[in-house]
Amino acid sequence: MAIEIYGSIWFILVVSISSSHSCSLPGSFLQCLAVTCPSPNTSALNVIYPQSNSSYQSILESRIQNLKFLKPTTPKPLAIIAPIMYSHVQSTVICSKQEGLQIRIRSGGHDYEGLSYKSVPGVAFILVDLSKLRSISIDMEEKTAWVESGATLGELYYSIADKSPVHGFPAGICPTVGVGGHFSGGGLGTMFRKYGLAADNIVDALIVDANGRILDRESMGPDLFWAIRGGGGASFGIIVAWKIKILYVPQVVTVFDLTKTSEEEATDLIHKFQYKGHKMSEDLYIIVTVTSSAAATRTSVDGSDIQKTIQARFSSLFLGTTDFLLKEMEESFPELGLKREDCIEMSWIESVLYFSGYPDGETVDALKNRKPQPKYISYTKSDFVVEPLSHIALGKLWKWCLEDDKACYIALHPYGGRMDEISEAETPIPNRKGILYYILYEGVYWEEAEEIAEYERRIEWIRRLYKNLTPYVSKRPRSASLNCRDLDLGVNHVTGPTYSQGMVWGYKYFKNNFERLAIVKGAVDPENFFTFEQSIPPLILDGRRNNQNDEER
């Protein structure tokens, strides 16, 4: 009887989807889900949302942060599968592969290029939304935690602090970002100078591979485990859970936030900071955000606009008390003029709220709120700096920032500390020792109501800014961060990536580690099932494809 009822459900789904939407799922795909998960209570059919489902659009939009991809022309998945158990993920992989459908994997987050939920036109794909796989299990005796990929950073931080006030984890400051993509791309946060990136503190993982198998660290082998800790998990499979190290934080930490509104003073301080930021104590993290004052531009009485200027904001987390922070600043960066009254002592978990921009008085319970931050339209790029910019170069940068009539936003993250101690080859992330600071250009926000011409004009402005900075940033290659995907760097061909094509963009993210990533891809997914615009191409070093690979090299 159960089989008959189950078969009826499948038949109704097929008829409903086929009759209500032209972009219909193949009936054989649904039948495959029925066969691979035969129990009605655990069937993947219970968690599938085809385009005809009334919840489809709301689920699709729920984790899309960048409004520029919420357009009718954006290619949409044939269906969304929101697994609540790993068998649902396995079935989706097996059946998608059988039916020739691609997969996009979403854990929730910025995803600046929308690669986790859209595809190129004409490609039929399924979206696997991992947001319901969100359990977190803390082992304080072992000082580790298992966290599923759909959990948010806020949920992870809350769960750790709930177990111990003197432990935390070094990852990003945005609490609604899902851990899956953040971890697999690196994961930079306020403690990375002390403990490295999130990816540096992963000790195990569970991945569903291209054959639908669930593999842990031992069964996946050292090469694949190396690849997913910074090489982007979506190229190799669907990572459903991570095991991480929980790390010590002091009972009291100190924060400060100083803004310098004089363009001359800001230039002098940033110029000095370039020589000092990476040499400071690893317990000290100072992010410098440079903005134009366009957001605060007022109209004068006579109707003319007040001239814009550059502002520099120095925001810091120090793993210790104010007394120790003041001593460190006096030794390492006295020019900033930090005073005791500028400092605020708090717990580490309270500092998470502070850096996330929550209002004063908000409790740590807010970190459990999975509601995404306000949506916006943005365009983002990244760079690494290995030699300080001169006063003249900084002046040029400010001039370029002020060319646009809207506010710009550039964030400088100093490296050094623990990052100097990790070799380029330890993970796929090569930018370690010798990096002075990382630049994130996140300064182009605009309203959805603005015209397409304005939209395109502002994109061209930030591209021009990025081009102008070419002489002042890393070279051969000009490096970029995988957590800040940038399709301007290059994309794979629709017909399938090749190693030589992938080198165009892959070398900028991974340098010499790109070849090893491609070899791992060739070993675990030789048919290139997990593919997208910037997926790692398979490089297979055996007799079957030596000729092709030799030509590409």
Side-chain angles (χ1 to χ4, degrees), residues 112-134:
Y112 296 110
E113 294 285 9
L115 300 183
S116 65
Y117 52 81
K118 68 179 182 67
S119 183
V120 295
V123 173
F125 69 103
I126 303 294
L127 169 59
V128 178
D129 187 316
L130 299 174
S131 59
K132 293 183 179 179
L133 291 176
R134 51 187 286 201

Side-chain angles (χ1 to χ4, degrees), residues 151-395:
T152 65
L153 294 178
E155 289 174 325
L156 174 60
Y157 298 152
Y158 177 90
S159 298
I160 295 173
D162 189 50
K163 295 290 185 180
S164 169
V166 291
H167 286 87
F169 187 71
I173 64 172
C174 298
T176 57
V177 168
V179 306
H182 185 70
F183 286 4
S184 66
L188 181 151
T190 59
M191 295 198 295
F192 84 109
R193 300 189 68 250
K194 175 73 171 182
Y195 291 121
L197 305 172
D200 298 324
N201 295 282
I202 293 167
V203 294
D204 204 343
L206 297 177
I207 184 171
V208 177
D209 73 358
N211 296 313
R213 301 174 299 174
I214 298 179
L215 308 175
D216 63 5
R217 177 175 182 171
E218 181 178 1
S219 55
M220 77 175 75
D223 290 334
L224 181 53
F225 184 65
W226 172 85
I228 62 176
R229 291 176 296 134
S235 291
F236 306 97
I238 301 179
I239 303 168
V240 293
W242 306 84
K243 188 178 183 181
I244 59 173
K245 292 187 289 187
I246 295 175
L247 300 163
Y248 170 77
V249 294
Q251 191 85 36
V252 175
V253 304
T254 306
V255 301
F256 68 78
D257 195 343
L258 293 178
T259 298
K260 304 298 181 179
T261 56
S262 163
E263 188 171 321
E264 182 178 353
E265 183 182 22
T267 302
D268 286 340
L269 286 172
I270 291 174
H271 182 260
K272 290 183 173 67
F273 181 76
Q274 295 178 107
Y275 292 89
K276 298 170 178 283
H278 64 290
K279 296 179 180 178
M280 293 178 180
S281 165
E282 63 182 15
D283 291 326
L284 178 60
Y285 164 80
I286 302 177
I287 178 176
V288 183
T289 52
V290 180
T291 60
S292 65
S293 60
T297 296
R298 304 181 304 278
T299 301
S300 61
V301 176
D302 63 3
S304 61
D305 287 340
I306 296 174
Q307 187 175 2
K308 293 191 303 179
T309 187
I310 290 295
Q311 298 181 151
R313 179 181 178 184
F314 295 78
S315 304
S316 174
L317 170 69
F318 177 69
L319 299 175
T321 64
T322 299
D323 288 340
F324 284 104
L325 171 60
L326 291 172
K327 181 179 178 181
E328 170 64 28
M329 290 296 289
E330 182 60 32
E331 293 176 354
S332 60
F333 196 21
E335 296 87 349
L336 189 61
L338 183 68
K339 300 180 176 61
R340 183 173 295 274
E341 54 266 32
D342 300 322
C343 305
I344 306 172
E345 292 186 343
M346 58 183 63
S347 66
W348 177 80
I349 194 64
E350 288 172 334
S351 78
V352 172
L353 293 171
Y354 178 86
F355 274 92
S356 300
Y358 284 99
D360 292 341
E362 189 67 80
T363 69
V364 296
D365 287 341
L367 296 174
K368 296 186 291 183
N369 184 357
R370 294 172 61 87
K371 182 180 179 181
Q373 295 171 337
K375 299 179 186 293
Y376 51 81
I377 299 178
S378 71
Y379 189 73
T380 310
K381 288 183 173 294
S382 63
D383 259 320
F384 291 89
V385 176
V386 296
E387 294 182 1
L389 275 67
S390 67
H391 276 89
I392 294 175
L394 289 173

Side-chain angles (χ1 to χ4, degrees), residues 6 33 37-47 84-85 87-88 91:
Y6 183 74
L33 292 182
C37 273
S39 171
N41 295 327
T42 61
S43 171
L45 292 178
N46 295 333
V47 293
I84 58 175
M85 54 184 58
S87 60
H88 296 156
S91 293

